[in-house]
């Protein structure tokens, strides 16, 4: 799979760890930055990530910032993205199974690297359940339905 990953300055180290983890798992990774811990604005990187997921350049996205909250809000401004902020593997799996999330968000100041890897693994190994969830997911991108 092709997976895009982006962060703000607070999550540069976690981004590097998760990028390497994804590569070890055999995924193609598009690192959208930043490269250093110099201060940046998370919306800029959230919007960049959302763009490549929404247009299909990447199948999934990984969004990281200090808390995971700000960047997840930025990603969710794109109607083609369903970004779920998670902190443990069950919520990561349910985000895929029930909500067909295509972006996972985590907070580097709140989630350790081992837990972040476990969340990412659960997210990527879970398929969307469809069925009763499909109509609800459709409404996330088309509220008038």
């Amino acid at each position: 799979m092709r997976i895009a990953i982006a962060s703000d300055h607070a999550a540069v180290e976690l981004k590097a760890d998760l990028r390497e983890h994804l590569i070890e798992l055999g995924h193609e990774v598009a690192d959208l930055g930043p490269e250093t811990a110099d201060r940046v604005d998370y919306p800029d990187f959230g919007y960049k990530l959302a763009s490549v997921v929404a247009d299909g350049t990447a199948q999934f996205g990984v969004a990281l910032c200090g808390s995971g909250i700000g960047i997840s809000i930025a990603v969710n401004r794109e109607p083609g993205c369903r970004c779920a902020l998670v902190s443990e593997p069950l919520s990561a799996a349910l985000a895929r199974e029930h909500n067909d999330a295509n972006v996972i968000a985590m907070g580097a100041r709140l989630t350790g690297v081992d837990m972040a890897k476990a969340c990412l693994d659960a997210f990527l190994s879970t398929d969307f359940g469809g069925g009763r969830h499909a109509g609800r997911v459709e409404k996330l991108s088309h509220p008038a339905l």
Side-chain angles (χ1 to χ4, degrees):
M1 279 188 276
R2 182 162 170 82
I3 300 169
I5 189 168
S7 71
D8 71 353
H9 55 280
V12 168
E13 287 183 33
L14 180 59
K15 179 173 64 80
D17 289 335
L18 294 180
R19 179 185 62 229
E20 293 309 312
H21 179 66
L22 289 166
I23 291 168
E24 288 171 4
L25 293 174
H27 299 294
E28 183 182 346
V29 180
D31 186 337
L32 304 179
E35 294 304 317
T36 71
D38 294 341
R39 186 191 167 284
V40 297
D41 295 329
Y42 60 80
D44 298 335
F45 291 89
Y47 298 149
K48 188 186 296 189
L49 178 69
S51 176
V52 301
V53 172
D55 75 11
T57 302
Q59 291 171 273
F60 292 106
V62 180
L64 308 165
C65 69
S67 67
I69 297 167
I71 201 163
S72 68
I73 292 170
V75 171
N76 278 321
R77 298 271 186 218
E78 166 57 58
C81 288
R82 291 170 303 283
C83 180
L85 174 59
V86 305
S87 59
E88 39 65 43
L90 179 58
S91 60
L94 291 174
R96 286 285 308 126
E97 183 180 352
H98 291 188
N99 308 112
D100 198 18
N102 53 8
V103 180
I104 185 175
M106 292 178 278
R109 294 180 179 141
L110 305 173
T111 307
V113 67
D114 290 335
M115 182 60 72
K117 287 177 183 179
C119 290
L120 188 52
D121 292 347
F123 182 81
L124 294 174
S125 65
T126 304
D127 292 325
F128 177 49
R132 65 187 170 96
H133 304 293
R136 296 171 186 153
V137 170
E138 183 66 21
K139 287 181 179 184
L140 293 174
S141 295
H142 304 95
L145 295 178

